[in-house]
Amino acid sequence: QVQLVESGGGLVQPGGSLRLSCAASGSIASFASMGWYRQAPGKQRELSATVPVVGRTNYADSAKGRFTIFRDIAKSTVSLQMNNLRPEDTAVYYCNAVRTEQYWGQGTLVTVSS
């Protein structure tokens, strides 16, 4: 059973930064891809960024230039550094991992507001 546990969400002012972290049970080296998705109130869940085992990281247009995803295999974590946050970034952020099936964390709330 794969477990993904997110942390790092919270309230931040516009222009601020947050770093989300996702800790996986077991080694993340077995996952073909890991990433972060988000779901704003009343909207569908959407991609923020993914990092595959092989290949390039992928960012949503809204994340490019502001968010950075990185994976630490030794610590079994995948993190999302978010800079220059905007009110429209307010959402529940979910960690995702893909092996033979998809796995999701429980989500962590990010609120960008003054």
Side-chain angles (χ1 to χ4, degrees), residues 10-51:
L11 174 64
V12 63
Q13 292 187 341
S17 297
L18 278 177
R19 182 166 171 163
L20 307 181
S21 189
C22 172
S25 58
S27 173
I28 65 172
S30 64
F31 294 120
S33 177
M34 295 191 74
W36 288 91
Y37 289 71
R38 68 185 187 183
Q39 188 166 16
K43 295 188 177 181
Q44 290 187 331
R45 192 172 297 188
E46 62 180 16
L47 167 76
S48 282
T50 58
V51 53

Side-chain angles (χ1 to χ4, degrees), residues 6 9 11 15 22 29 34 44 51 57 62 75 78 85 87 93 104-105:
E6 302 102 331
L11 174 64
C22 172
M34 295 191 74
Q44 290 187 331
V51 53
T57 55
S62 60
K75 295 182 179 179
V78 61
L85 284 161
Y93 285 72
W104 295 94

Side-chain angles (χ1 to χ4, degrees), residues 22-110:
C22 172
S25 58
S27 173
I28 65 172
S30 64
F31 294 120
S33 177
M34 295 191 74
W36 288 91
Y37 289 71
R38 68 185 187 183
Q39 188 166 16
K43 295 188 177 181
Q44 290 187 331
R45 192 172 297 188
E46 62 180 16
L47 167 76
S48 282
T50 58
V51 53
V53 171
V54 178
R56 300 173 61 180
T57 55
N58 180 42
Y59 293 95
D61 287 343
S62 60
K64 289 177 181 176
R66 300 187 301 128
F67 295 2
T68 303
I69 186 170
F70 44 95
R71 178 183 61 218
D72 189 329
I73 293 177
K75 295 182 179 179
S76 292
T77 60
V78 61
S79 300
L80 186 69
Q81 176 66 41
M82 305 186 295
N83 298 326
N84 191 22
L85 284 161
R86 306 164 180 166
E88 54 264 39
D89 294 318
T90 295
V92 178
Y93 285 72
Y94 295 92
C95 180
N96 170 267
V98 178
R99 198 156 56 192
T100 55
E101 55 186 284
Q102 283 201 82
Y103 302 92
W104 295 94
Q106 81 287 350
T108 185
L109 177 63
V110 172

